[in-house]
Amino acid sequence: MQHTEGMLREGTLSDKVILVTGGGTGLGKAMATYYSELGAKVIISSRKQEVLDKTAAEITAKSGNEVLAVAADVREYEQIENVIQKGIEKFGKINGLLNNAAGNFISPTERLSHRAFNNIIDIVLKGSTNCTLALGKYWIEKGEGPYTVVNIATTYAFTGSGFVVPSACAKAGVIAMTRSLAVEWAKYGIRLNAIAPGPFPSKGAWDRLLPGDMKDKFDMTKKIPVGRVGVKQELANLSAYLMSDYSAFVNGEVVTIDGGEWLQGAGEFNMLSMVKPEQWDMLEMMIRGVKGS
Ligand code: HXC
Ligand code: NAP
């Protein structure tokens, strides 16, 4: 048994039809693939139809299950309504949503134009609220739960982070929506949870955020207590569990999956993990030698 393997039993999601935004690439593609392998009918959406078509074919070849690819910009509510309508026409229902589409700039904040800043807020926060609201209205009217939303946030949504400020603001809003609607919509059989991933190598995020030799200069593994970055399958496992009815009592939760990265930065004395055992012998002697003054 390894973290690189699928965790849930065959057919776990066979009664689910799940919309995955940003499902054509990276982590969204990995999660959509695993949902499909677990028996779900999956609708993937993002702006580029040709990317979606290729991914849909790849997923079907792997899982044997149908995947619908519908292009849309999550910033445009009407386009999301169209995706939902196409999904229902094809599969008869939708009962799961993964809000995964995102954009991000690494930049000193003062170098960003207000349009650039707003663009990220619009994709990440407005995109997630658009999809959640459109599906929520349909679910509440239909009234046949359970329904599940999983939102992809980040760890810096709760710590904040310089140089990715629009993303941090937007993802914090996504967490606020998760916790708010988890309570408000529970009576309709709708559950919402979020995942806060640490670093998971993906072309979209890593090539854009750490271009050229920045990846080597800022070795992420050094910041992570478990000494490695994330593997897509472990994120897919967590997200499939939260999407499934196995997690029926988990609601309004934000699950961090980062190898302890953000806590390493937060703990006052965590830098002492650099101290070697023989240095501790010396330090202990010095500390014991200091009696009250
Ligand atoms: C500053 C920039 C810029 C840059 C563009 N702009 N690139 N400003 N630094 N690098 C400005 C433009 O000049 C313009 O402002 C405004 O931003 C909008 O530019 P567009 O090119 O029209 O933007 P658009 O192509 O619509 O969107 C850009 C994008 C997009 C959001 C980055 O390419 C996208 O959706 N990428 C998805 C891939 C991605 O970012 N994935 C990362 C997710 S990872 P003006 O004023 O000139 O009009 C993540 C967490 C990572 O979120 C955590 C790691 C641990
Ligand atoms: P990615 O491959 O760049 O994924 C972003 C996806 O969003 C793309 O498929 C993109 O497709 C889509 N998208 C962007 N703008 C859109 C729009 N306006 N409308 C519809 N779709 C849009 O990066 P990733 O690493 O897989 O990221 C996936 C998620 O994980 C994001 O929410 C990200 O914030 C989060 N995350 C990633 C990491 C990491 O280390 N990789 C860490 C923490 C959180 P198009 O461009 O074709 O539209």
Side-chain angles (χ1 to χ4, degrees):
M1 187 176 33
Q2 292 190 39
H3 64 274
T4 49
E5 291 168 10
M7 174 182 90
L8 292 164
R9 72 180 76 164
E10 215 180 299
T12 289
L13 297 177
S14 57
D15 57 347
K16 304 283 181 203
V17 180
I18 304 167
L19 169 57
V20 178
T21 68
T25 65
L27 308 185
K29 176 178 174 181
M31 290 184 272
T33 303
Y34 191 45
Y35 295 166
S36 182
E37 286 173 339
L38 290 171
K41 297 184 177 70
V42 176
I43 305 151
I44 53 174
S45 187
S46 64
R47 289 167 299 179
K48 299 181 197 95
Q49 186 67 50
E50 65 283 8
V51 173
L52 293 171
D53 287 340
K54 189 165 168 278
T55 296
E58 274 177 44
I59 296 177
T60 299
K62 249 182 143 176
S63 69
N65 288 318
E66 265 188 296
V67 177
L68 178 66
V70 189
D73 188 324
V74 288
R75 292 170 287 192
E76 304 297 332
Y77 190 79
E78 292 70 26
Q79 294 188 26
I80 294 308
E81 286 187 312
N82 177 55
V83 175
I84 292 171
Q85 196 190 322
K86 293 257 162 62
I88 295 167
E89 273 166 28
K90 173 86 179 165
F91 296 128
K93 64 176 181 185
I94 300 175
N95 48 11
L97 166 65
L98 177 71
N99 279 313
N100 165 81
N104 202 350
F105 299 127
I106 287 241
S107 173
T109 308
E110 69 278 11
R111 290 174 62 112
L112 295 174
S113 70
H114 67 283
R115 281 177 296 272
F117 201 112
N118 289 342
N119 196 18
I120 302 305
I121 302 281
D122 283 351
I123 298 170
V124 176
L125 180 54
K126 215 169 117 185
S128 301
T129 57
N130 277 344
C131 297
T132 307
L133 187 64
L135 269 173
K137 282 173 185 287
Y138 152 70
W139 287 338
I140 290 166
E141 201 189 325
K142 200 165 151 63
E144 294 164 10
Y147 301 113
T148 316
V149 180
V150 176
N151 294 319
I152 303 299
T154 65
T155 50
Y156 59 68
F158 31 92
T159 61
S161 173
F163 307 100
V164 282
V165 172
S167 170
C169 296
K171 295 283 194 183
V174 170
I175 291 180
M177 175 182 72
T178 308
R179 292 182 171 141
S180 306
L181 288 178
V183 175
E184 190 184 331
W185 283 358
K187 62 177 178 282
Y188 302 119
I190 303 171
R191 270 189 315 123
L192 293 94
N193 289 292
I195 298 175
F200 281 76
S202 75
K203 198 169 165 9
W206 287 46
D207 287 5
R208 289 187 59 91
L209 300 180
L210 298 172
D213 65 356
M214 271 179 85
K215 270 188 233 48
D216 307 318
K217 284 204 174 114
F218 299 96
D219 182 356
M220 290 281 189
T221 59
K222 293 207 176 98
K223 288 171 65 222
I224 304 174
V226 303
R228 65 171 176 85
V229 292
V231 175
K232 291 188 186 92
Q233 185 61 47
E234 30 189 3
L235 178 65
N237 285 341
L238 174 59
S239 126
Y241 164 70
L242 290 175
M243 192 59 82
S244 79
D245 297 333
Y246 286 124
S247 60
F249 204 49
V250 184
N251 189 27
E253 190 51 66
V254 182
V255 185
T256 298
I257 178 165
D258 75 341
E261 183 196 31
W262 86 266
L263 283 170
Q264 164 139 318
E268 185 75 35
F269 290 103
N270 284 345
M271 75 289 194
L272 294 180
S273 51
M274 286 189 288
V275 176
K276 300 197 167 64
E278 59 277 18
Q279 291 174 305
W280 274 118
D281 294 341
M282 171 78 77
L283 278 169
E284 186 179 333
M285 250 170 45
M286 288 163 69
I287 294 164
R288 283 174 182 272
V290 180
K291 302 279 184 232
S293 54

